[in-house]
Amino acid sequence: MRVNRRQLLLATCALGAQAALSACGQKTGQTVVPAEFNVASTCDLDGMLLADYPGPKAQIHFAGESRPTWYCDTAEMFSTLLKPEQVRTVLGVFVQDMELADWDRPRGYWFDARTGTYVLGSRRRGSMGPTIASFRQEAAARKFATSFGGQVMRFAEVKPEMVDLSGGALHDSRM
C-alpha cells in the first residue's frame, strides 16, 4: 500500500488529536497542598499585602502555574471562581479555618475550600470590608454566626450575586 504525503500528515494529526483528547481525562497524580504567605505576599487582584489585613485569606492553584494565586479576602476568591469567564483549570482551592486562625492576623490553618462552611453577612470585616468567613466545621460556622450574625452556607450554595467586592479600597485609609 502506498501512502502519499497528505495521507501521512492527516494520520499524524489524527493520532496527535486522539492523544491530546485522551490526556484530558487523565489525572496527573499531582497532589496540591496549600502554601503559606509571607510578609511580602500580595493579593494577585489588587496588590494589597496579605499580612496587613484581617479576615480569611484564600489561594487558588491553577494548572500550569508554579505558585498559587493569592486573595486577601474569600469574597475575591468566590468572585473569581463564580465568574462565567473563569475557564482556567483549578487544581486546588484553599481558605483559612477562622475557628483556629487569629481574625486580625490570620496565618496557617488552610483547608480545601470546597469542603468548608461559610458565613455570609456577618458583622466581622475583612480586607475588602464585608467578607465571607470560612470554617472547616459547620458547628464552628454556626457558633460564629450566633456571635456575629450572618447566614451559614456550604461552598456550593454561594452564588455570584451574594459576593460583594464593593467595600475594600473605599474604606482603607492605609492605601
Side-chain angles (χ1 to χ4, degrees), residues 8-109:
L8 183 60
L9 182 60
L10 287 172
T12 303
C13 288
L15 284 174
Q18 181 180 5
L21 287 173
S22 65
C24 288
Q26 296 176 355
K27 295 192 183 236
T28 63
Q30 177 183 3
T31 301
V32 180
V33 296
E36 188 57 63
F37 62 88
N38 60 48
V39 295
S41 298
T42 59
C43 175
D44 285 80
L45 292 183
D46 54 31
M48 293 169 68
L49 287 167
L50 299 175
D52 285 356
Y53 295 92
K57 311 298 180 244
Q59 56 184 286
I60 301 177
H61 296 254
F62 292 107
E65 299 291 326
S66 61
R67 65 172 198 79
T69 299
W70 291 106
Y71 300 90
C72 58
D73 197 286
T74 51
E76 291 176 328
M77 175 210 60
F78 275 110
S79 177
T80 298
L81 291 174
L82 297 175
K83 288 180 179 176
E85 64 270 18
Q86 197 322 88
V87 295
R88 295 180 289 176
T89 301
V90 174
L91 300 176
V93 182
F94 300 97
V95 293
Q96 293 174 300
D97 184 351
M98 298 314 290
E99 176 184 27
L100 303 173
D102 178 338
W103 188 273
D104 294 319
R105 302 190 64 75
R107 299 289 190 284
Y109 302 105

Side-chain angles (χ1 to χ4, degrees), residues 125-149:
R125 297 292 180 246
S127 64
M128 300 304 294
T131 193
I132 302 172
S134 49
F135 298 90
R136 186 185 310 256
Q137 302 295 325
E138 184 175 337
R142 293 203 178 284
K143 181 178 176 184
F144 179 88
T146 299
S147 297
F148 300 104

